[in-house]
Amino acid sequence: MKFETYRYFDLPFCSPGHVTDKKEGLGELLNGDRLVSAPYKLDFLSEKDSEVVCKKRLSKEEVAKFREAVSKDYYFLMYYDDLPIWGFIGKVDREGKTDPNEYKYVLYKHIQFEIMYNKDRVIEISARMDPSSVVDLTEDKEVDVEFMYTAKWKETEIPYEKRMDKYSQTSSLPHHLEIHWFSIINSCVTVLLLTGFLATILMRVLKNDFMKYGHDEESAEDQEETGWKYIHGDVFRYPKYKSLFAAALGSGTQLFTLTIFIFLLALVGVFYPYNRGALFTSLVVIYALTSGIAGYTSTSFYLQLEGSNWVRNLLLTGCLFCGPLFLTFCFLNTVAIAYNATAALPFGTILVIVLIWTLVTAPLLVLGGIAGKNSKTEFQAPVRTTKYPREIPPLPWYRGTLPQMAMAGFLPFSAIYIELYYIFASVWGHRIYTIYSVLSIVFVILLIVTTFITIALTYFQLAAEDHQWWWRSFLCGGSTGLFIYGYCLYYYHARSDMSGFMQTSFFFGYMACICYGFFLMLGTVGYRAALLFVRHIYKSIKSE
């Protein structure tokens, strides 16, 4: 699991006298990378055969430390000329043994590097552990170890420009691509059926409604008042907790903009494999720069709803997503410090993030808020709101908020869940995700399904004369985020081999923040779609 990473020399390997740390960017530090110089000298075209790095006597404690790391399948990750090299530090021999007490633990002491070059450029590097050169760690007793390495150089025809292709292809192998395209076709069919079905029903029902409501006044008075037309005096009545509602819309709009920018950068090719930390750097920088959008959207909408305390609303907008994220980070960073893992951010990095928030995010949020306050936009309601709210008739249980959210979240989730597995395997496992074009299509499908399902549920709610659609449309749109968190539980138990407090808390802590972000973003999309629809249908009827 990616986040339980430790420094190379936390284990008693051969350490050079002075360990030099590599200067790293913000994204690399957030990614948990803490690179140091390794004791292996791989000079260009210089062959080495069983070169001794150091001889060492391992104490009982050091043997126990190595044995624990081997039993947990720890592996090292090194970089040579920006190319990654992996290798396991040892292995557990379980052959023919059922009792764990009989397992044999061995440490590899000989690394064989094979480097491919083209003219004066390094193209590929791999590390193989010599299975015949091992040290037995099964018993708690002192052992002598001679750490060695071999370097072999081979010429290749692969051009320098294509040296990263090997890493990109793992996630776009034919059988993987087939699954991705099957997922997209499956999602497209879902979308076409759903949108076709809903569009047909809504068009027919609305046409009938418009014909019925379009009659002259006398016939309208004769019939009993039912349906969505008769709540026109309440449908644009402002929702409860309007400050929170406006703040959620502001945060959701910001996260939506952030997602669009990340997709654009991914499609342009910024996040090529092992461009270490590029994604995290982009997320931090773009989030900081888009905070003005949150301030503007939230304040202008809050004032449209005739809110009075816009400063408090702006504070709420600033804390709505950042607050839970900051609290989660503080807890998980403390856990990482307790475990001495590299996922713990250094004090300097935390200071940089706080400065970005103080000097960029907060001022832009305030400027956006001031611009929103001065925009003086009106809430365009096509019909007048009556003085007193109409009573909502008693409705069956399945028209309640939670059953509606369950219905609204299931379809969008079913359109994306196959792709979710690959994303989880990339973020929490060792796979590399590179097919952003497929991910973009899946994201567009997710938005379309969310839009349609929210519109349909809003129509059925209004037809049942329930005029409190504002929060409902937001909650129904965002409910996919809750389904994704439900998938986290399944992934943790069925698909991952995570264990221990640190891995569990990191997985569920950060996934809660991501799913909360999805909830806000898709909730905003759902509400915006419902608002356009409600405005459209009430514009089309003559209301007294």
Side-chain angles (χ1 to χ4, degrees):
M1 178 256 187
K2 268 190 181 174
F3 279 101
E4 193 159 352
T5 46
Y6 299 93
R7 292 172 183 274
Y8 186 71
F9 294 117
D10 281 354
L11 287 171
F13 284 110
C14 291
S15 169
H18 176 67
V19 177
T20 52
D21 287 286
K22 177 187 174 290
K23 285 267 183 289
E24 287 171 311
L26 175 64
E28 291 175 298
L29 290 164
L30 290 171
N31 202 24
D33 293 342
R34 305 289 182 273
L35 298 184
V36 292
S37 301
Y40 308 104
K41 299 274 174 284
L42 301 181
D43 299 321
F44 193 69
L45 294 184
S46 164
E47 300 251 330
K48 300 270 172 75
D49 189 20
S50 302
E51 180 98 0
V52 176
V53 182
C54 75
K55 292 179 181 176
K56 195 168 184 182
R57 188 173 194 89
L58 296 179
S59 66
K60 286 180 186 176
E61 290 78 21
E62 288 173 331
V63 167
K65 215 173 185 181
F66 265 129
R67 185 171 60 241
E68 190 187 0
V70 169
S71 69
K72 288 181 176 176
D73 285 334
Y74 277 32
Y75 64 94
F76 63 77
L77 171 60
M78 297 180 186
Y79 288 93
Y80 182 68
D81 192 33
D82 265 348
L83 292 170
I85 324 157
W86 301 268
F88 283 100
I89 59 173
K91 73 163 188 170
V92 185
D93 185 9
R94 298 183 173 89
E95 262 182 58
K97 302 177 183 78
T98 49
D99 183 7
N101 295 327
E102 293 175 10
Y103 291 167
K104 190 180 173 190
Y105 298 86
V106 295
L107 173 72
Y108 295 125
K109 58 180 185 174
H110 188 177
I111 305 180
Q112 297 167 328
F113 295 105
E114 190 176 274
I115 308 121
M116 316 273 259
Y117 68 97
N118 186 348
K119 297 190 179 78
D120 60 342
R121 292 294 188 95
V122 174
I123 305 298
E124 199 179 305
I125 181 165
S126 60
R128 213 170 59 79
M129 313 311 285
D130 184 354
S132 60
S133 180
V134 293
V135 181
D136 192 344
L137 303 171
T138 312
E139 292 173 31
D140 274 337
K141 60 177 186 184
E142 292 187 0
V143 285
D144 292 312
V145 189
E146 194 173 47
F147 287 105
M148 297 178 289
Y149 70 104
T150 297
K152 294 264 187 289
W153 291 81
K154 286 186 182 174
E155 204 164 353
T156 177
E157 295 298 310
I158 300 170
Y160 181 76
E161 296 73 45
K162 294 196 172 172
R163 71 180 197 151
M164 282 293 176
D165 288 3
K166 170 188 167 189
Y167 306 104
S168 316
Q169 282 161 2
T170 47
S171 64
S172 53
L173 289 169
H175 68 279
H176 281 313
L177 269 180
E178 271 177 33
I179 295 169
H180 286 293
W181 285 113
F182 170 73
S183 150
I184 284 184
I185 291 163
N186 171 42
S187 305
C188 282
V189 170
T190 309
V191 171
L192 284 171
L193 285 173
L194 174 77
T195 49
F197 175 67
L198 290 178
T200 313
I201 289 182
L202 284 178
M203 295 305 276
R204 285 188 66 178
V205 171
L206 283 170
K207 202 173 172 185
N208 291 342
D209 287 352
F210 290 145
M211 281 171 69
K212 188 171 87 176
Y213 299 147
H215 286 322
D216 53 359
E217 299 293 310
E218 294 104 52
S219 59
E221 278 168 21
D222 293 341
Q223 57 192 350
E224 198 183 333
E225 293 202 347
T226 55
W228 54 266
K229 195 244 183 183
Y230 298 105
I231 54 166
H232 64 79
D234 295 286
V235 86
F236 292 105
R237 191 179 301 284
Y238 300 142
K240 288 178 184 170
Y241 316 115
K242 49 188 164 188
S243 181
L244 179 62
F245 191 74
L249 278 186
S251 297
T253 309
Q254 181 188 2
L255 292 168
F256 182 70
T257 315
L258 168 71
T259 310
I260 298 296
F261 273 116
I262 291 293
F263 271 117
L264 289 173
L265 289 176
L267 293 170
V268 168
V270 173
F271 309 132
Y272 61 84
Y274 297 100
N275 182 3
R276 294 191 302 277
L279 179 62
F280 284 106
T281 307
S282 306
L283 282 169
V284 171
V285 171
I286 297 170
Y287 184 82
L289 294 176
T290 52
S291 59
I293 293 171
Y296 178 83
T297 311
S298 175
T299 306
S300 64
F301 193 77
Y302 179 64
L303 293 172
Q304 280 177 34
L305 301 182
E306 296 168 13
S308 51
N309 196 342
W310 69 275
V311 176
R312 194 185 67 189
N313 172 251
L314 203 57
L315 279 170
L316 184 59
T317 309
C319 299
L320 197 64
F321 182 70
C322 279
L325 184 65
F326 179 70
L327 292 173
T328 308
F329 163 76
C330 289
F331 171 69
L332 294 178
N333 209 53
T334 311
V335 171
I337 291 168
Y339 275 77
N340 201 22
T342 62
L345 289 190
F347 179 71
T349 310
I350 297 172
L351 202 63
V352 167
I353 292 170
V354 170
L355 282 173
I356 289 173
W357 202 90
T358 318
L359 302 176
V360 183
T361 312
L364 282 176
L365 184 76
V366 172
L367 286 173
I370 293 166
K373 179 179 178 286
N374 296 332
S375 64
K376 295 280 189 292
T377 46
E378 300 266 315
F379 185 79
Q380 284 129 10
V383 286
R384 280 203 309 275
T385 303
T386 55
K387 200 170 182 185
Y388 301 106
R390 189 187 182 99
E391 197 179 333
I392 298 168
L395 297 170
W397 66 269
Y398 55 82
R399 287 195 182 275
T401 305
L402 288 174
Q404 297 277 295
M405 282 173 72
M407 276 188 255
F410 179 72
L411 270 169
F413 174 75
S414 68
I416 61 163
Y417 84 97
I418 295 177
E419 210 57 33
L420 273 182
Y421 167 72
Y422 287 95
I423 295 164
F424 274 53
S426 163
V427 174
W428 299 103
H430 316 305
R431 289 198 182 166
I432 303 158
Y433 194 93
T434 53
I435 28 185
Y436 296 109
S437 50
V438 171
L439 194 58
S440 308
I441 297 169
V442 171
F443 182 66
V444 170
I445 290 169
L446 172 67
L447 295 180
I448 294 170
V449 182
T450 303
T451 302
F452 265 84
I453 198 80
T454 312
I455 288 174
L457 288 171
T458 303
Y459 171 76
F460 294 132
Q461 185 183 355
L462 296 176
E465 298 180 37
D466 178 355
H467 51 77
Q468 292 176 346
W469 62 275
W470 298 68
W471 272 110
R472 180 77 65 85
S473 62
F474 189 93
L475 294 170
C476 285
S479 59
T480 310
L482 303 177
F483 273 83
I484 297 173
Y485 201 64
Y487 179 80
C488 294
L489 293 165
Y490 162 75
Y491 182 84
Y492 177 83
H493 288 292
R495 292 294 181 90
S496 78
D497 49 2
M498 293 185 214
S499 60
F501 180 69
M502 182 181 168
Q503 293 184 8
T504 307
S505 59
F506 261 72
F507 179 70
F508 286 110
Y510 280 128
M511 281 317 299
C513 291
I514 292 166
C515 293
Y516 175 52
F518 258 94
F519 177 79
L520 290 173
M521 179 177 76
L522 293 174
T524 302
V525 170
Y527 166 72
R528 292 282 182 203
L531 179 64
L532 282 171
F533 170 73
V534 174
R535 271 195 181 134
H536 174 72
I537 63 169
Y538 282 94
K539 240 182 220 162
S540 311
I541 59 163
K542 294 184 199 135
S543 301
E544 309 82 62

